[in-house]
């Protein structure tokens, strides 16, 4: 699969399977008779979270977390291009944590920006209706008192 910017094949890890000391038919018994099988497992390069970091940088740059996430994402991409998979994983992990933090804080801020004014408007409407009810009640009482006082 050609990714355009990365023309070298991915490095392959060699992982030996554990010897179980089982004796197959036709093989001599003992510790020297075990077979070793090597399985080549291609390692997938780590994600760099650059798009998520850019999103947080543009739309949710709380405490500059989006900017720092972009920096670590670019570092992860650079490490990946050089072939340093461990460095790329480390930088990508930090970028991911920063992106999660920025996303949670931004979501919380948006939630509070919607809920708090809505609650304040609802409370104001309740206070206004109670105020009108009290004024109407007092005006009726005063009219009754004034009526009795005049006659």
């Amino acid at each position: 699969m050609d990714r355009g910017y990365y023309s070298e094949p991915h490095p392959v890890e060699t992982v030996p399977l554990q010897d179980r000391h089982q004796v197959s038919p036709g093989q001599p018994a003992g510790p020297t008779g075990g077979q070793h099988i090597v399985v080549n497992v291609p390692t997938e390069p780590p994600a760099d979270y650059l798009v998520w970091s850019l999103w947080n940088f543009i739309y949710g740059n709380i405490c500059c977390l989006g900017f720092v996430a972009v920096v670590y994402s670019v570092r992860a991409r650079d490490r990946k291009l050089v072939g340093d998979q461990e460095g790329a994983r480390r930088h990508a992990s930090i970028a991911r944590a920063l992106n999660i933090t920025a996303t949670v804080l931004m979501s919380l801020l948006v939630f509070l920006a919607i809920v708090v004014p809505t609650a304040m408007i609802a409370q104001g409407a309740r206070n206004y209706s109670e105020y009108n009810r009290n004024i109407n009640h007092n005006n009726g009482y005063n009219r009754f008192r004034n009526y009795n006082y005049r006659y």
Side-chain angles (χ1 to χ4, degrees):
M1 168 180 7
D2 184 31
R3 294 186 181 217
Y5 62 87
Y6 190 73
S7 59
E8 298 176 22
H10 299 297
V12 177
E13 279 186 33
T14 303
V15 180
L17 295 178
Q18 293 180 353
D19 188 9
R20 299 183 188 213
H21 297 293
Q22 292 180 351
V23 178
S24 298
Q27 290 187 347
T32 59
Q35 289 183 334
H36 293 282
I37 300 173
V38 177
V39 177
N40 292 330
V41 179
T43 58
E44 193 170 317
D48 53 20
Y49 305 107
L50 186 62
V51 174
W52 191 10
S53 298
L54 287 171
W55 176 268
N56 281 328
F57 177 61
I58 293 170
Y59 294 110
N61 198 15
I62 295 179
C63 300
C64 294
L65 288 174
F67 175 71
V68 178
V70 168
V71 169
Y72 276 101
S73 293
V74 170
R75 285 182 182 176
R77 182 166 281 194
D78 290 344
R79 294 284 92 205
K80 188 168 46 172
L81 289 176
V82 171
D84 180 14
Q85 298 298 317
E86 188 55 41
R89 274 190 196 87
R90 188 174 61 249
H91 289 302
S93 174
I94 293 170
R96 181 175 177 256
L98 290 169
N99 281 324
I100 289 171
T101 304
T103 301
V104 167
L105 289 176
M106 192 61 201
S107 300
L108 185 63
L109 186 67
V110 167
F111 177 74
L112 290 176
I114 292 171
V115 169
V116 170
T118 304
M120 290 176 70
I121 290 170
Q123 183 65 35
R126 257 184 268 136
N127 289 344
Y128 182 73
S129 66
E130 185 176 319
Y131 174 75
N132 281 339
R133 195 175 329 121
N134 288 339
I135 287 180
N136 290 338
H137 176 70
N138 288 339
N139 284 344
Y141 176 73
N142 288 337
R143 276 184 275 165
F144 177 72
R145 192 178 80 190
N146 289 340
Y147 178 77
N148 286 338
Y149 182 71
R150 275 197 256 154
Y151 297 108

